[in-house]
Amino acid sequence: MSSVPPSTKSAKAAKPVAIAQILFSQGFGTRRHCAALVDHGLVSIGGEVVEDPQQAFPTEGLVFEVEGKTWPFHEKALILLHKPAGYECSRKPSHHPSVFSLLPEPLRNRDIQPVGRLDEDTTGLLLLTDDGPLQHKLTSPKYHVPKLYQASCKAPLDEAQLRRLVEGVLLEERNPRLAEEPVNAVSARALPDGRLEMALTEGRYHQAKRMVAAVGNRVLTLHRQRIGALDLPADLPVGGWLWMDDAQRALAMSEPGDGA
Ligand code: URA
């Protein structure tokens, strides 16, 4: 699979936009609230307070401050979160806090969704975006974007178990068509510390755990380390998040070793 070029900036994005509209698009509340933030002198650009809610600015590369906090403009948001255990990937969690509670309010207000959910007890790399086509490319099995998982298991996996994971196993599924289709890892190996590392391109429910169970073992802890060629940054603390830029977006959509 070839790497995908960075998203092209539309002519529309380069056109100046009223600051109140910019704030609205970035999740700072209702149009009225955004205009009020400006009226109250709480918004500045380059150290200068913006006086008029209708004053227009080119959005490309724009950085602004709201109540002293710096925000980069992003027409579409792509966020990388280091997911801790004990958080659900849902806006309406049932038993544990939501991963959205780890993000600041303007981001929560945007229509971002996790790119493929992780289980409550799974840790590691979670992307969230409001970019529909990107969401589709990263989650659809059709695009073969590998997700690399590391798992500690009840017992170290032997060669036969590793081979079976790559050759494919059948999983119990409600959908009879899926139940007949073997599901396989694109790679599976034992790490020097005895953990399993395997790459999956599909995102079936509890897929890694069920595949390991299907070869007669059990996942105890599960961590996602990479999506495509995009690694979880080693210096990002658990629970921390980052904006992704166009280069990182391209990495997420490319295979490790593509050179993207
Ligand atoms: N596979 C699982 O079993 N759980 C996850 O969270 C992700 C992949």
Side-chain angles (χ1 to χ4, degrees):
M1 182 181 32
S2 62
S3 60
V4 178
S7 66
T8 40
K9 304 274 185 295
S10 62
K12 202 169 144 220
K15 209 175 127 200
V17 179
I19 186 67
Q21 172 60 27
I22 290 174
L23 296 175
F24 176 69
S25 72
Q26 302 298 290
F28 284 86
T30 62
R31 289 177 197 280
R32 183 189 290 243
H33 180 71
C34 291
L37 285 171
V38 180
D39 284 335
H40 290 126
L42 297 172
V43 180
S44 49
I45 293 180
E48 298 278 317
V49 172
V50 183
E51 304 286 351
D52 177 1
Q54 293 315 312
Q55 191 178 343
F57 295 88
T59 53
E60 197 175 323
L62 180 69
V63 175
F64 54 94
E65 290 98 50
V66 180
E67 298 185 74
K69 281 212 185 88
T70 302
W71 283 88
F73 175 88
H74 285 271
E75 190 171 3
K76 292 287 177 194
L78 179 60
I79 301 296
L80 183 157
L81 174 72
H82 187 163
K83 181 189 174 296
Y87 283 78
E88 292 182 30
C89 288
S90 163
R91 283 194 180 261
K92 290 189 183 150
S94 28
H95 300 295
H96 299 273
S98 163
V99 289
F100 287 95
S101 67
L102 297 165
L103 302 176
E105 195 180 344
L107 272 180
R108 293 203 301 270
N109 288 341
R110 292 179 71 151
D111 190 23
I112 57 172
Q113 301 297 335
V115 177
R117 292 184 175 197
L118 292 177
D119 296 336
E120 169 271 314
D121 56 348
T122 302
T123 59
L125 198 172
L126 180 69
L127 295 176
L128 300 108
T129 189
D130 54 5
D131 182 336
L134 177 67
Q135 168 85 250
H136 178 68
K137 283 201 176 112
L138 291 175
T139 50
S140 167
K142 204 171 86 188
Y143 291 95
H144 305 290
V145 175
K147 284 96 188 171
L148 189 72
Y149 292 93
Q150 293 163 345
S152 61
C153 299
K154 193 163 174 232
L157 275 88
D158 61 30
E159 282 305 317
Q161 289 174 322
L162 293 171
R163 206 171 39 248
R164 280 187 65 203
L165 288 172
V166 175
E167 285 171 359
V169 293
L170 289 173
L171 300 178
E172 277 183 30
E173 304 282 0
R174 280 200 192 145
N175 177 339
R177 190 184 54 77
L178 277 184
E180 283 169 15
E181 273 176 22
V183 61
N184 70 294
V186 286
S187 63
R189 67 178 182 127
L191 293 172
D193 62 9
R195 284 180 306 154
L196 162 69
E197 183 173 82
M198 71 173 169
L200 307 177
T201 54
E202 288 185 57
R204 293 197 203 176
Y205 180 66
H206 291 335
Q207 181 172 329
K209 292 173 186 167
R210 291 195 297 145
M211 287 177 70
V212 169
V215 301
N217 209 318
R218 179 148 62 90
V219 168
L220 302 178
T221 66
L222 186 62
H223 176 82
R224 184 156 67 193
Q225 179 56 29
R226 190 186 297 151
I227 295 180
L230 178 68
D231 258 296
L232 179 67
D235 55 357
L236 182 64
V238 178
W241 65 274
L242 297 167
W243 289 101
M244 294 288 90
D245 60 21
D246 282 346
Q248 291 160 320
R249 175 184 299 249
L251 274 182
M253 286 190 282
S254 62
E255 300 243 9
D258 262 4

